Amino acid sequence: MRLVLLGAPGSGKGTQATRLREHLQVPHISTGELLRAAVAAGTPLGLKAKAVMEAGSLVSDDIVLGMLEERLTAGDTGNGFVLDGYPRNLAQANALDALLTRLGQPVDIAVQLDVDTELLVSRLAGRAQAEGRVDDSPETVRNRQKVYNEATAPVVDFYRNSGRLACVDGVGSVDEVFRRILATLAPTPDIG
Ligand code: ADP
């Protein structure tokens, strides 16, 4: 199963991606985590990405695509993957389709976690206290939500228009939301 998880910052993508990784036995690929690892390691890519991430803006498409291609060709995605944090704009969505077509591994489904903006902001405020991620400060959170609404929301339509979108209500306990996601993945029984 090759699955893309979509949702605003704070929608619970990372948490659900971890559950899905265990359930589906496929790698969880988070571009945010790959970038944070590059920043922590002080690689040239990480040095370029650091300030952009701290401002809550998008790292350039070519940097993230190169990093993602390297990860998708690491040899462990034969049974699929859960992709979290990518694509974040239409250019990335098109680039991902082109890359995965070339690799013979097209996306099966994009699952969108739907959560009201007010709730997103309060969840991220809680996470800022618990985890201390530098991009969870109030100003950066506002910019990340703005970037999501302007650049990433059209990606939902991209998958809807190609018949690959499943929308899931992201409000509820982690277990409840996970069950809803699994329900959208269950094969529809043949009729007749
Ligand atoms: P969240 O979804 O909560 O914003 P992420 O861990 O997915 O958290 O991303 C953190 C930051 O990493 C983003 O605000 C952005 O700066 C950068 N980033 C992650 N994925 C991408 C991407 N696909 N394209 C550009 N920048 C990205």
Side-chain angles (χ1 to χ4, degrees):
M1 167 84 59
R2 290 177 296 269
L3 187 151
V4 168
L5 260 185
L6 301 173
S11 61
K13 286 193 306 288
T15 306
Q16 296 298 336
T18 305
R19 292 279 182 109
L20 283 165
R21 174 190 66 200
E22 267 142 39
H23 184 83
L24 300 171
Q25 294 289 306
V26 296
H28 164 204
I29 301 177
S30 156
T31 48
E33 276 174 22
L34 291 172
L35 286 165
R36 280 189 288 279
V39 170
T43 65
L45 187 156
L47 293 176
K48 277 193 196 162
K50 188 169 189 285
V52 179
M53 292 174 74
E54 281 174 9
S57 302
L58 293 185
V59 176
S60 81
D61 288 348
D62 52 337
I63 289 187
V64 184
L65 182 64
M67 195 183 70
L68 183 65
E69 174 161 8
E70 196 179 313
R71 180 63 191 84
L72 284 170
T73 50
D76 60 350
T77 54
N79 288 328
F81 50 77
V82 175
L83 187 54
D84 155 19
Y86 195 98
R88 263 180 151 86
N89 59 32
L90 282 178
Q92 292 187 2
N94 282 302
L96 181 66
D97 266 4
L99 171 62
L100 292 177
T101 300
R102 181 152 57 80
L103 299 177
Q105 304 186 341
V107 167
D108 296 308
I109 189 166
V111 175
Q112 188 217 359
L113 294 180
D114 196 17
V115 177
D116 180 76
T117 309
E118 295 297 307
L119 186 59
L120 293 172
V121 172
S122 73
R123 280 187 184 178
L124 288 172
R127 188 171 82 183
Q129 289 192 327
E131 293 178 18
R133 236 173 76 174
V134 285
D135 61 348
D136 280 342
S137 70
E139 316 82 77
T140 303
V141 163
R142 266 195 297 279
N143 192 40
R144 282 160 61 211
Q145 300 295 350
K146 181 166 170 272
V147 167
Y148 181 82
N149 290 328
E150 290 173 5
T152 313
V155 172
V156 174
D157 294 325
F158 174 90
Y159 286 107
R160 183 182 290 117
N161 294 339
S162 55
R164 293 177 289 173
L165 184 73
C167 281
V168 166
D169 178 3
V171 182
S173 72
V174 171
D175 282 340
E176 274 164 359
V177 175
F178 185 58
R179 277 197 293 275
R180 287 179 201 139
I181 295 175
L182 291 187
T184 70
L185 305 184
T188 327
D190 279 345
I191 299 171

